[in-house]
Structure formats: structure tokens, C-alpha cells
Amino acid sequence: MNPYFKEYSDFLAEHFSGKIQKISIDLALGCPNRDGSLGRGGCIYCNNTAFSPDSDKSSFGVAAQIERGKQFFARKYPTMRYLAYFQSYTSTYGAHPRLLKAYAEALADADTVGIVIGTRPDCMPDELLSELKKLAQESGKEILIEFGVETMHDKTLEFINRHHTAAQARDAIMRTAHAGFSVGVHLILGLPGENEQMYFETVDAVNSLPISTLKFHQLQILEATPLASMYRDGLSVALFTPNAYADLCVKLLDRLRPDIAIDRFVAQAPAHLLIAPKWGLKNYEFREILLRKLKEREALRK
């Protein structure tokens, strides 16, 4: 067991038995920040292909996408069970009957123990929460909700063209947790204009909310994004080195509630999309750097 922070695997073990793997599902949904409902162009850093590189996946139905994922993992782990991860764009942004049908299709798979729904704080109405609660009860399986919060500073949210506020994030998290769902949050470190004190303030704000899991990742500048153009035009962006980012993560872990499980610390965009920072590290290699720093800090405290 990791003595330094709660692992996502620990969180999964509290909810499920056996080995669990996420399978990403793409419903080919849009985003209110792209289609004009709230804005156009999306968040300045967003290139959805970076975390959904299998661009043809949405042409398959939900059951077919799950089956493809199962075939990939089952070769090595025949007893694996799965969480269907509705990841691409805003996975609650659509007609509710269509959404609920897709979620139910995933929950009906015999090897699927639950679903994870990734969305924005402003795209989780009470009506959908009520329907999701009913669906979880009928299926007897878990529904986990993850919100892309990114930061709890409104000035930054406005600059990155996010089109939601910190207050909306708090409200969505509170309502979702009150409805009985485990809540996850995504945060980006290194957003333009932010500094270490602001990262601390965001973590402190998250600590005060009823969340179960947390994803950190470093800001990445990706091709075909407004941020790429701004960066090339001279925008000042704090691009971490692996060591500096690991040092920051150590400080944030010191402030984070110990019951919050860390799903990940870094994101890894496809090389052909990544402009900066180019670390050349796999996720497990960064993890080794972080664990070494945590061990060194622990030794100094003794």
C-alpha cells in the first residue's frame, strides 16, 4: 500500500472486487462551449483528439465499443472486469433519452461493473441526476461522475474560455454527491496567469467539497488549439520540467485530504500533437520521480 497518498486502485477496491479496467466510450457528443450554446472554439487548450485518439470509435455502438475493449484486455487478463468510461467531449450534453439508453447499454454488459461519466459542471441538471439515480438502482451497478473543473479561480476560467464558474463547479459537485454518487474532479496545473499560491487555493477549495477522486495534469500546449496560437504569439506560459512538476505535486499532496484518491498526476498527449512541454516520459516514469521525492521528504522529516 502506498504510504504517501491514496491510490485510485484503493478507491476501486472499496467499490468493486477483482481487477478493474476502464474502457473509453465515445458517444460522438458535442460541447456547449463549441456549438454556440455557451461559446465557440472550446477551451483554449482543448484538442479532443489528444485524449480520444481512436477517432473512428464513435461509429460503433456502445456494446461494440465495450466488446472491442474487452478483447484487447482479456488476452492478458481473462478475469478482468470493466468500467465503461464515457470520456469524449461532454458526456451528459445531449437528449436525455439518448444518453440514458447509452448508459443502460453499458451497464447491461455482464463484465461491466459500472460506468464513469465525464462532464462539465454546467451540464448536470437535477433531472438527469434523478434519472441516473434510478438507473443505478435498477441496474444494481455503480455510476461514477467526473467533472472537469480545471481551476477554482474565475479569472482563469474566463481567460481559458471555459464558460462556467467556480460557483457552478461547487454547486454541481454538491448536488451530485447529495444524490448519492461518487464524484471525481479534474484539475490542470500551469494554466496561464496562475501561480503556486493559486494552485494551493484550488486544492483547498476542492478539499472542502465531497469528492472521492482527483485527476491532476500538467498544462500541455497542443496543435490546432487557440492556446497554440497564443503561445506562438508570445503568451507567457509556465511550462514545468518533470522535476519542478513533481516538487509541486509533493506540496499539493501535503494539502490534499488523505481520503481523496489520486487517479493520475500527468496527461500524455500524442507526440504529433504536443508542442510543449516535451518530457519524453511515460506516466510510470514520472510516478517514479514523484515517489522518490516523497521518500526523500519523508526521510528528512525523521
Side-chain angles (χ1 to χ4, degrees), residues 45-183:
Y45 50 78
C46 183
N47 181 327
N48 198 260
T49 307
F51 55 85
S52 298
D54 190 2
S55 58
D56 69 333
K57 186 164 52 178
S58 62
S59 63
F60 295 84
V62 171
Q65 291 183 54
I66 292 174
E67 191 58 34
R68 290 175 77 198
K70 286 163 61 174
Q71 288 174 5
F72 177 82
F73 291 109
R75 286 175 289 188
K76 189 173 182 180
Y77 303 104
T79 61
M80 182 80 77
R81 296 193 300 162
Y82 303 93
L83 284 168
Y85 183 18
F86 292 85
Q87 177 184 22
S88 298
Y89 287 109
T90 305
S91 290
T92 59
Y93 187 57
H96 290 182
R98 180 197 171 190
L99 295 173
L100 293 165
K101 181 180 178 182
Y103 304 150
E105 187 176 349
L107 290 166
D109 182 87
D111 298 315
T112 299
V113 296
I115 63 175
V116 184
I117 301 173
T119 189
R120 291 168 52 96
D122 53 357
C123 290
M124 186 55 79
D126 286 336
E127 177 189 355
L128 183 57
L129 276 175
S130 178
E131 293 292 342
L132 288 173
K133 187 172 183 178
K134 186 186 306 182
L135 185 59
Q137 291 169 343
E138 290 173 351
S139 68
K141 296 183 178 180
E142 293 270 0
I143 297 178
L144 314 173
I145 312 294
E146 295 184 359
F147 290 108
V149 171
E150 321 313 356
T151 176
M152 293 297 280
H153 292 278
D154 284 338
K155 183 177 179 181
T156 307
L157 290 167
E158 182 178 0
F159 181 81
I160 64 176
N161 199 42
R162 188 71 185 157
H163 285 288
H164 71 71
T165 65
Q168 285 176 298
R170 290 188 190 93
D171 175 68
I173 291 167
M174 294 297 292
R175 288 187 296 105
T176 303
H178 182 72
F181 298 102
S182 293
V183 180

Side-chain angles (χ1 to χ4, degrees), residues 19-41:
K19 194 169 183 63
I20 307 296
Q21 175 66 49
K22 287 181 183 175
I23 296 175
S24 293
I25 306 296
D26 187 347
L27 295 181
L29 298 173
C31 174
N33 200 14
R34 287 180 173 270
D35 67 7
S37 297
L38 292 175
R40 294 197 180 275

Side-chain angles (χ1 to χ4, degrees), residues 199-253:
Y199 309 145
F200 292 162
E201 290 166 359
T202 288
V203 167
D204 291 346
V206 165
N207 274 338
S208 70
L209 296 169
I211 74 166
S212 301
T213 65
L214 182 61
K215 287 182 180 178
F216 290 113
H217 73 77
Q218 79 284 19
L219 179 68
Q220 297 180 106
I221 302 174
L222 306 176
E223 295 286 4
T225 63
L227 181 59
S229 299
M230 297 162 77
Y231 177 66
R232 287 171 172 142
D233 288 341
L235 176 70
S236 177
V237 181
L239 298 175
F240 296 104
T241 65
N243 274 307
Y245 185 69
D247 286 336
L248 174 61
C249 288
V250 169
K251 294 176 183 177
L252 296 177
L253 286 172

